[in-house]
Amino acid sequence: METDSGITLEEAKAKIKYLESLLREKEENTYRTFFEEDEDAVVILDLETQLFIDCNVKLTSLLGFTKTELQKLSVFDISPKYQPNGQPSETLAVKYIEDGFKFGNVKFDWIHLNREGEEIPCEVKLHNYVGKDGKRFAKGVLQKKDTLVELRNKLNQKEKLLEKVTKTLPAIIYIQDLATDEFLYLNNSIESFLGFEVEPILTYDYLIKNILHPDDLHLIDAHAKKMVEEKNTEIYVLDFRVFHQNGNVHWFRVWETNFSFNVDGIPTEVLGVAQDITASKTIELQLKKQNELSEEIRRISKSGVWEWNVETNQMYWTPDLYYLLKVEPNQFKPNIQSLINFFANGCKEKLVDSLVNAEKEKIPFDLELEILSEPNFWVRVQGKAIQSETNGIVIIGSIEDIDDSRKKRIALLENEARFHKVANQTGLIIYDYDINLNQIEWDGAIKSVLGYEIEEFNHLDIEGWLNLIHPDDRMFTKELLADAIGTRSPYHAFYRLRKKDNSYIPIEDRGTFISNDITGSNRQVGVLENVSAKYEFELKLQSKEERFRNFYNFASEAIIITDGDMILDANLAFKKLFGYDFIHHLSVKEIIADPLWNGIDNKDKIFSLEGIKKDGTLIPIQVNKKEIEEGKFIISFIDLTLINEAESIKQALKEIQEKNNLIITQKMELEKTIEELKLTQSQLILNEKMASLGQLIAGIAHEINNPMGAIKASSQLILENIKNQILNQEKIIQLLANKPFEKRKLFFKWMSESFEKRNQLHGSEARKQKKLIQEKLESLGCRDPEFVSEEVVDAGVQLGLPIIEHLCHEEDFLDFFNYGIQYIHTSQNLNSILESIQRVSKILYALKNFSHFDKKGNKINTDLIANIETVLILYNSQMKNGIKIIRDYPDSRLFIDCFPDDLIQVWTNLIFNAIQAMSYKGTLTISILSETDPITKRNWAKINIADTGSGIPDSIKDRIFEPFFTTKELGEGSGLGLDIVRRVVQKHDGKIEVFSKPGNTIFTIILPVSTNS
């Protein structure tokens, strides 16, 4: 390296210094260029003075200050007092500066204030360093966060909107993880739609077990598989069925799309929206069903429609018409001439004339014409002209195949002629009654049956026919006819009709209406049949049947009738011999002690063995059998025990008779004395009892009238149901014949169970049950579910609902249901009659018990509660309007050994005294307790009869049991009532006590209880 020897050291140092300054200036200019043009806002801060010492243009633009203004400010002058996290800006700035020195740099969010005092959110990157002189500086790089905040705010708003939409949208929105089948998101709509809670998160396994319909699982699986395989974001739609939590079936439609994918492009999440489309789906299915039904009806009815434009000669046929005329739609072009050519000669001319008249005179036509075919067939052709504003005259019409109905009509006319001929030969009189015109046309065997010429008879109207009926039968027959006309139901009557010689013969009259619609035909047709011979035969048969039944029931020999080994019927002697009250499901094997028994068919006509009574006792018997028809037998049984013991019994009876004669002689002498003593007493008791009976008689008559009214009303309803069943009997028979055996069996099971089980509901409970049943039937596709639910709940047969649900979707279900419900109504009316009869029987039984007193004989084991209830029944009419009865009885029946008729007099006197004491207004309390004497261990029944009457004064309490003592007005009582009570109680070894104060009187009867109760 060469040196400049001409330069001094000082000059060299100066030059170096100059070059160094040039270099520094160049570096500073380069730095300043980068500093000023930096895209980010940059500021230099002196940490000791807290003042800004430099900044670039971007910062002045960001905050609105000039560089000169900014160099006079500190970081706290352009910051709010507090930052968004709630900490003071001064404290937080110190922390970030310390972190900058600790970590070299730090990044944080900061709110600055611009020249206008507005908040500017920024992201700050702080770089701290120390100068050569030890001074500390900070370089801050600021980025405005307004855009970021705006994006975040918009995102938050969208998230809130999405959350609101997913919560309020009337649809189920979900995101499902395909790997785990769990729902990552599921809104609350599932609760309102299906009643299931969102938490815990539902899985696909939960859906299968509780929600998804099993018949649609294959559709759902195929849908999911297709989405995964196609790996796109298309929207896939699927309809399927689900179960509501209450068990109802709903239709759902889902729209699903693949929501996210893994790195291999395989879907990992599915986004879905589901809506309940049950209502629209039901309408869609019904519409589809109706369309299919309409197509089927058109196909079955063999009819078609055509349209002909007269001006353009263009013709249109429906597809059905091509089918009817046996031509192919794609090979045949219809026109009016081609249509005419289908008809036979003679028919063509009629059709042409009708078309001309329809075009010119606007006359519609309705023709029966013959179609040329193999073979030919008859059709009904209808048409009419319509004036169209755009197309001129258009003739529209239809063609219907009537070949079968025409043949049937012709056959019917032929059959009618044959029927008239047969009727004349078989002795039937035929009539056709026009109700509107009040005219009757007669035909048949009028001459041979009644002696009139047909011309004589045909002038008779309805009044003339009624005048020929026997006066005793006329009114009833007229009422039957009026009832049949009013309801359009079949008419059936028996009456005596006067012949021409003025004698009467029995007639069976059977009539029916051409239509059972009240707005339809007003013609009744029928036949009169002479049933003299039939009537005499039935009388003879009835007489023989009665003789056989009397012999059978009252024979001393035990007799049964069997079908194989199953007992169909048994007489009273059999039931008495073997101890059975009922023989339902009883077989011969059960009453025969033969382990090798192989059926009655394999036994001799007469054989002996041991029989088994119901209680298991064995008795020796002789059996006689006679076959009355194949497989059926009459069997008689002779108890050999009686024959074996006859002699010993005869001897014992002789000895007993001798002893009895001696006892009777002594007894007669004793009774003569006793009867004289009882005569006066019995007369007094009878007088007392007759007085009580007179008080009861008016109330009893009223009590009997109520059930008799119920019997009459139920009988009328049964008669109406029977008439309706006869009307529809042929239709039901055809329906049953076409049904599989299992369906018929299920239907009859529903009817029979409904006869036996009845759960009557009322008020809101009934309305709620009707609504639930209607919704269930609607979901099962039942026709007219409202009517079915009303009938089921009103009849109280909702326990048979599972069978109805199994059958309700079938087309002819309503016909079967109406048939069954009528039988159920009939059975319920019969039960009402039986209950009313039992009510009358109960009253009469109570009255009968009341009418017998002081009956001689031994004590009888008697139901104490039933004995008291007998008297309450008799006094019901006198108590039901003003007296409240409180019964405090034991849970089980209580039996005592007693004279029940005598006890009835006790309750009669005490209860009637209580009624009078309360002046027929108050509370009557009857309580029964069972107590055991701790010393004697004897059981006692304690009966308390309490009333809320005026009470018994203390001054007369000791005299109330004295004979002839009474506080009643003259003629109202004899004073023997409580004396009778006291004597009857003493007769039963019992005790009587009385407690009384105003408003509370209690008579207590204590009686010994039977040892076997």
Side-chain angles (χ1 to χ4, degrees), residues 633-653:
F633 300 89
I634 290 182
I635 303 173
S636 65
F637 302 89
I638 299 175
D639 185 358
L640 300 179
T641 305
L642 301 176
I643 299 175
N644 297 337
E645 297 178 356
E647 289 301 322
S648 58
I649 293 174
K650 185 177 180 181
Q651 182 61 35
L653 288 174

Side-chain angles (χ1 to χ4, degrees), residues 176-240:
Q176 187 179 16
D177 189 320
L178 295 178
T180 63
D181 280 336
E182 290 187 349
F183 289 90
L184 304 177
Y185 175 78
L186 183 63
N187 68 348
N188 293 330
S189 294
I190 193 171
E191 297 180 7
S192 59
F193 277 115
L194 295 178
F196 291 93
E197 296 182 358
V198 175
E199 298 295 340
I201 295 177
L202 301 177
T203 64
Y204 189 62
D205 183 59
Y206 185 92
L207 289 176
I208 293 175
K209 291 180 180 178
N210 300 278
I211 298 178
L212 299 180
H213 198 290
D215 293 345
D216 293 345
L217 289 179
H218 68 287
L219 298 175
I220 298 170
D221 292 340
H223 167 82
K225 184 177 180 183
K226 181 179 179 182
M227 289 183 63
V228 173
E229 289 176 349
E230 298 194 1
K231 302 178 183 178
N232 57 35
T233 57
E234 297 291 330
I235 296 176
Y236 295 84
V237 182
L238 177 66
D239 294 350
F240 55 88

Side-chain angles (χ1 to χ4, degrees), residues 138-409:
K139 176 186 175 184
V141 180
L142 284 68
Q143 282 186 328
K144 188 177 180 182
K145 297 190 66 175
D146 286 356
T147 306
L148 182 60
V149 170
E150 183 178 353
L151 290 174
R152 286 183 177 173
N153 288 337
K154 289 182 179 179
L155 182 59
N156 289 335
Q157 290 175 0
K158 289 182 179 180
E159 287 179 349
K160 290 179 180 178
L161 178 61
L162 179 62
E163 183 180 3
K164 183 176 181 181
V165 168
T166 56
K167 287 183 178 180
T168 60
L169 188 69
I172 299 172
I173 302 175
Y174 58 90
I175 300 175
Q176 187 179 16
D177 189 320
L178 295 178
T180 63
D181 280 336
E182 290 187 349
F183 289 90
L184 304 177
Y185 175 78
L186 183 63
N187 68 348
N188 293 330
S189 294
I190 193 171
E191 297 180 7
S192 59
F193 277 115
L194 295 178
F196 291 93
E197 296 182 358
V198 175
E199 298 295 340
I201 295 177
L202 301 177
T203 64
Y204 189 62
D205 183 59
Y206 185 92
L207 289 176
I208 293 175
K209 291 180 180 178
N210 300 278
I211 298 178
L212 299 180
H213 198 290
D215 293 345
D216 293 345
L217 289 179
H218 68 287
L219 298 175
I220 298 170
D221 292 340
H223 167 82
K225 184 177 180 183
K226 181 179 179 182
M227 289 183 63
V228 173
E229 289 176 349
E230 298 194 1
K231 302 178 183 178
N232 57 35
T233 57
E234 297 291 330
I235 296 176
Y236 295 84
V237 182
L238 177 66
D239 294 350
F240 55 88
R241 289 166 291 177
V242 297
F243 290 106
H244 194 280
Q245 192 179 34
N246 60 18
N248 289 339
V249 176
H250 289 231
W251 275 96
F252 262 61
R253 177 170 293 163
V254 299
W255 294 266
E256 288 189 337
T257 184
N258 291 321
F259 189 57
S260 63
F261 303 83
N262 61 16
V263 292
D264 298 324
I266 298 174
T268 58
E269 295 175 350
V270 169
L271 170 65
V273 177
Q275 280 192 326
D276 190 328
I277 61 167
T278 304
S280 61
K281 195 72 175 179
T282 302
I283 295 172
E284 177 186 332
L285 293 174
Q286 289 177 349
L287 184 60
K288 181 180 178 183
K289 189 174 182 181
Q290 289 173 356
N291 290 337
E292 291 174 352
L293 180 61
S294 299
E295 289 297 326
E296 182 67 13
I297 290 172
R298 284 200 296 270
R299 187 185 66 79
I300 294 173
S301 64
K302 300 178 182 179
S303 63
V305 178
W306 53 270
E307 178 183 304
W308 175 42
N309 188 311
V310 178
E311 294 182 6
T312 64
N313 201 29
Q314 291 181 334
M315 182 166 249
Y316 165 77
W317 288 5
T318 61
D320 313 88
L321 191 52
Y322 288 99
Y323 176 79
L324 176 64
L325 298 177
K326 302 175 184 177
V327 292
E328 294 293 333
N330 54 355
Q331 298 176 1
F332 184 84
K333 186 174 182 180
N335 56 59
I336 192 61
Q337 189 57 48
S338 63
L339 177 64
I340 294 171
N341 290 338
F342 278 101
F343 294 91
N345 292 333
C347 295
K348 293 179 181 178
E349 291 77 6
K350 291 182 180 179
L351 179 57
V352 171
D353 292 342
S354 297
L355 289 170
V356 171
N357 290 332
E359 176 189 353
K360 295 181 178 180
E361 307 295 336
K362 303 298 186 293
I363 301 174
F365 57 88
D366 188 345
L367 308 172
E368 288 189 9
L369 305 176
E370 187 176 15
I371 292 285
L372 295 172
S373 183
E374 294 181 1
N376 291 1
F377 61 94
W378 284 80
V379 296
R380 182 183 184 185
V381 184
Q382 294 177 293
K384 65 181 295 185
I386 298 175
Q387 182 68 45
S388 171
E389 294 181 359
T390 57
N391 298 324
I393 298 177
V394 176
I395 299 179
I396 60 172
S398 65
I399 300 178
E400 178 187 359
D401 186 343
I402 61 168
D403 199 60
D404 291 340
S405 61
R406 189 172 186 273
K407 289 176 181 177
K408 290 178 181 177
R409 189 168 71 246

Side-chain angles (χ1 to χ4, degrees), residues 426-629:
T426 57
L428 296 177
I429 299 174
I430 307 165
Y431 64 85
D432 185 343
Y433 174 31
D434 189 318
I435 298 171
N436 288 341
L437 300 177
N438 197 26
Q439 293 178 350
I440 308 177
E441 292 185 10
W442 300 90
D443 202 351
I446 298 173
K447 177 73 174 177
S448 60
V449 174
L450 298 174
Y452 297 97
E453 298 294 336
I454 190 168
E455 293 79 10
E456 296 179 272
F457 218 64
N458 262 328
H459 80 279
L460 293 177
D461 57 8
I462 195 67
E463 291 299 327
W465 163 73
L466 284 170
N467 288 333
L468 293 180
I469 297 175
H470 194 284
D472 294 344
D473 303 337
R474 190 175 300 154
M475 185 58 66
F476 180 70
T477 305
K478 186 176 182 180
E479 289 175 355
L480 284 178
L481 179 61
D483 185 55
I485 292 173
T487 60
R488 289 300 188 271
S489 57
Y491 165 65
H492 192 188
F494 290 90
Y495 51 82
R496 289 163 288 179
L497 196 65
R498 188 173 75 242
K499 297 172 62 176
K500 191 170 183 177
D501 62 4
N502 290 326
S503 63
Y504 287 92
I505 59 171
I507 291 291
E508 181 178 3
D509 187 347
R510 299 184 297 275
T512 187
F513 285 86
I514 302 300
S515 168
N516 58 10
D517 184 0
I518 294 178
T519 62
S521 173
N522 284 314
R523 287 178 54 218
Q524 183 191 49
V525 296
V527 295
L528 307 183
E529 181 181 359
N530 181 1
V531 292
S532 299
K534 178 180 177 182
Y535 183 69
E536 292 176 3
F537 175 76
E538 287 180 349
L539 288 177
K540 292 179 181 178
L541 187 64
Q542 181 180 357
S543 177
K544 290 182 179 180
E545 173 68 20
E546 289 177 355
R547 286 199 299 272
F548 168 76
R549 181 57 58 180
N550 289 334
F551 166 76
Y552 174 71
N553 279 328
F554 298 106
S556 59
E557 189 175 351
I559 302 172
I560 62 174
I561 299 174
T562 72
D563 186 349
D565 267 19
M566 185 57 64
I567 300 176
L568 303 178
D569 196 11
N571 69 350
L572 297 175
F574 171 84
K575 295 177 181 178
K576 183 177 181 181
L577 175 61
F578 284 89
Y580 287 96
D581 295 325
F582 305 99
I583 59 165
H584 189 53
H585 295 313
L586 185 66
S587 66
V588 177
K589 184 178 180 179
E590 295 177 66
I591 61 172
I592 299 297
D594 184 355
L596 301 178
W597 180 261
N598 59 352
I600 193 68
D601 299 18
N602 302 307
K603 287 293 184 180
D604 296 333
K605 290 185 177 181
I606 301 175
F607 57 95
S608 299
L609 40 62
E610 284 189 316
I612 306 174
K613 299 177 71 173
K614 184 178 181 181
D615 60 6
T617 306
L618 298 178
I619 55 173
I621 56 174
Q622 176 181 302
V623 183
N624 300 274
K625 77 169 188 178
K626 178 177 178 61
E627 189 170 13
I628 54 178
E629 58 180 87

Side-chain angles (χ1 to χ4, degrees), residues 685-795:
I685 291 173
L686 181 60
N687 291 342
E688 177 69 15
K689 180 172 179 178
M690 291 306 293
S692 300
L693 185 61
Q695 296 160 356
L696 293 176
I697 198 67
I700 293 172
H702 178 71
E703 287 294 301
I704 292 177
N705 279 336
N706 288 337
M708 292 304 291
I711 291 172
K712 181 178 180 182
S714 297
S715 300
Q716 291 173 343
L717 292 172
I718 291 171
L719 180 60
E720 290 297 324
N721 283 339
I722 291 174
K723 290 179 180 178
N724 290 332
Q725 292 290 352
I726 293 173
L727 256 176
N728 297 307
Q729 194 163 16
E730 182 176 355
K731 178 180 178 181
I732 292 300
I733 290 171
Q734 290 176 352
L735 288 172
L736 289 173
N738 295 329
K739 278 290 177 184
F741 172 76
E742 291 300 323
K743 293 288 185 181
R744 294 201 306 269
K745 184 178 179 182
L746 192 62
F747 176 70
F748 289 128
K749 179 182 178 184
W750 169 67
M751 287 176 57
S752 60
E753 288 183 353
S754 298
F755 291 167
E756 301 169 357
K757 301 175 182 177
R758 189 178 182 193
N759 183 16
Q760 197 71 42
L761 302 177
H762 302 283
S764 60
E765 187 178 3
R767 291 191 295 273
K768 181 179 179 182
Q769 188 69 16
K770 288 177 183 178
K771 183 177 179 183
L772 291 175
I773 294 174
Q774 181 179 345
E775 292 174 351
K776 182 71 172 176
L777 294 179
E778 283 177 348
S779 68
L780 295 175
C782 176
R783 291 170 53 202
D784 203 353
E786 181 180 1
F787 166 75
V788 175
S789 61
E790 288 278 348
E791 288 293 330
V792 167
V793 176
D794 289 344

Side-chain angles (χ1 to χ4, degrees), residues 804-919:
I804 291 178
E805 293 173 356
H806 188 73
L807 298 173
C808 69
H809 65 278
E810 298 188 10
E811 288 292 331
D812 50 9
F813 168 71
L814 282 181
D815 294 327
F816 281 107
F817 178 80
N818 284 326
Y819 173 73
I821 206 71
Q822 284 189 1
Y823 269 103
I824 292 170
H825 287 326
T826 301
S827 70
Q828 292 176 349
N829 287 325
L830 285 171
N831 286 334
S832 176
I833 290 174
L834 290 175
E835 291 171 0
S836 298
I837 292 173
Q838 291 173 357
R839 173 67 179 160
V840 173
S841 299
K842 191 173 182 181
I843 295 169
L844 295 178
Y845 177 78
L847 187 61
K848 177 184 74 68
N849 287 343
F850 182 83
S851 65
H852 291 79
F853 180 69
D854 203 20
K855 184 178 178 181
K856 297 179 180 179
N858 297 324
K859 290 182 178 180
I860 299 173
N861 192 247
T862 301
D863 185 346
L864 180 59
I865 295 174
N867 192 260
I868 295 173
E869 284 295 316
T870 296
V871 178
L872 290 176
I873 291 169
L874 294 175
Y875 282 110
N876 180 60
S877 63
Q878 300 185 35
M879 293 187 291
K880 64 184 179 182
N881 292 325
I883 294 178
K884 178 182 178 183
I885 303 176
I886 298 176
R887 296 172 170 87
D888 186 9
Y889 296 158
D891 293 335
S892 58
R893 295 189 296 175
L894 183 62
F895 288 86
I896 65 172
D897 290 331
C898 66
F899 300 101
D901 298 333
D902 291 355
L903 282 185
I904 283 178
Q905 294 303 309
V906 173
W907 318 131
T908 298
N909 281 288
L910 294 180
I911 289 173
F912 186 68
N913 284 349
I915 293 172
Q916 288 186 320
M918 294 186 289
S919 299

